[in-house]
Amino acid sequence: MELISRMMDGSIPYDTEGRLGPVSSGPGAKQEDRIERLKEVPLFEGCSRRQLRSVARIARVFDVPAESLLTRAGEAGDEFFLILDGTARVEVSPEKRVTLHPGAFFGEMSLLDGGPRSATVVADTPVRLLVIGRKHFADLLDQVPGLTLTLLTTLSRRVRQAEAQAERARAAAGL
Ligand code: CMP
């Protein structure tokens, strides 16, 4: 099971120094602080305060160290991730890596079609992640204006890249 899933369901303890713990999303965190943080995320810029409040209720924020495995190709996945700080690399194929920067998201494919993770994603640096679990993903789509369209656009780009990559691999193999 993925690292974040295990932290979310409590089957591994959070780092005692808080490095792996949920950040600003525990019971003590002030709702207003969480909303202020979400306001800075470009994906949520069209959201009303009420919508941001709903997102703050369903999202959790995690800090993970560099080199953490965030998704593993071929495994089941139950979370959608948005990078708040740091960078992560998507290992699309042995030859192709894509770097994701703050504001980018990943993990949407398995939530949309229920299939296994299409790629391995690893933290390149310490990363702060906003994480939404499967059961709240539909709520997220309801609350964030334009998110469905953004997801579709990003998915189209990723499919094109995957096809181009497969074509290059076929050509290199002389097929
Ligand atoms: P998912 O399949 O759930 O888990 C792995 C994630 O990697 C996938 O969702 C996408 O979010 C992301 N991903 C897959 N292919 C690419 C790509 N070519 N470029 C960027 N991200 C990708």
Side-chain angles (χ1 to χ4, degrees):
M1 202 197 266
E2 291 169 355
L3 170 72
I4 299 282
S5 303
R6 287 183 287 144
M7 292 198 293
M8 298 260 286
D9 75 8
S11 62
I12 59 167
Y14 297 128
D15 183 290
T16 48
E17 289 167 8
R19 249 181 335 140
L20 296 184
V23 180
S24 308
S25 57
K30 289 199 189 76
Q31 174 89 342
E32 288 309 303
D33 293 346
R34 290 192 238 169
I35 292 172
E36 287 309 307
R37 288 174 51 125
L38 291 177
K39 267 166 74 179
E40 292 162 17
V41 177
L43 193 64
F44 303 136
E45 72 193 357
C47 286
S48 65
R49 198 148 187 92
R50 186 185 59 75
Q51 288 164 329
L52 286 176
R53 204 173 299 124
S54 303
V55 176
R57 256 198 310 272
I58 61 177
R60 302 184 74 185
V61 178
F62 288 90
D63 279 339
V64 297
E67 296 310 317
S68 298
L69 184 68
L70 301 171
T71 72
R72 191 197 296 270
E75 285 194 356
D78 287 319
E79 282 87 27
F80 170 81
F81 303 90
L82 176 87
I83 299 178
L84 296 174
D85 283 309
T87 61
R89 63 177 181 273
V90 184
E91 298 177 351
V92 180
S93 73
E95 301 80 31
K96 169 106 177 147
R97 273 141 201 242
V98 175
T99 301
L100 300 179
H101 297 274
F105 56 79
F106 61 94
E108 76 290 351
M109 292 187 181
S110 290
L111 292 204
L112 288 169
D113 71 1
R117 294 298 193 193
S118 59
T120 292
V121 182
V122 179
D124 258 338
T125 64
V127 175
R128 178 164 288 188
L129 291 166
L130 187 87
V131 184
I132 311 271
R134 177 181 294 282
K135 70 174 192 250
H136 293 303
F137 189 57
D139 299 332
L140 183 73
L141 295 180
D142 278 347
Q143 293 302 330
V144 182
L147 179 56
T148 304
L149 186 59
T150 304
L151 281 179
L152 285 172
T153 310
T154 304
L155 264 174
S156 302
R157 194 178 321 122
R158 289 177 179 172
V159 168
R160 280 184 202 281
Q161 282 176 353
E163 284 182 348
Q165 180 63 27
E167 185 52 43
R168 278 195 293 276
R170 275 196 297 274
L175 299 174

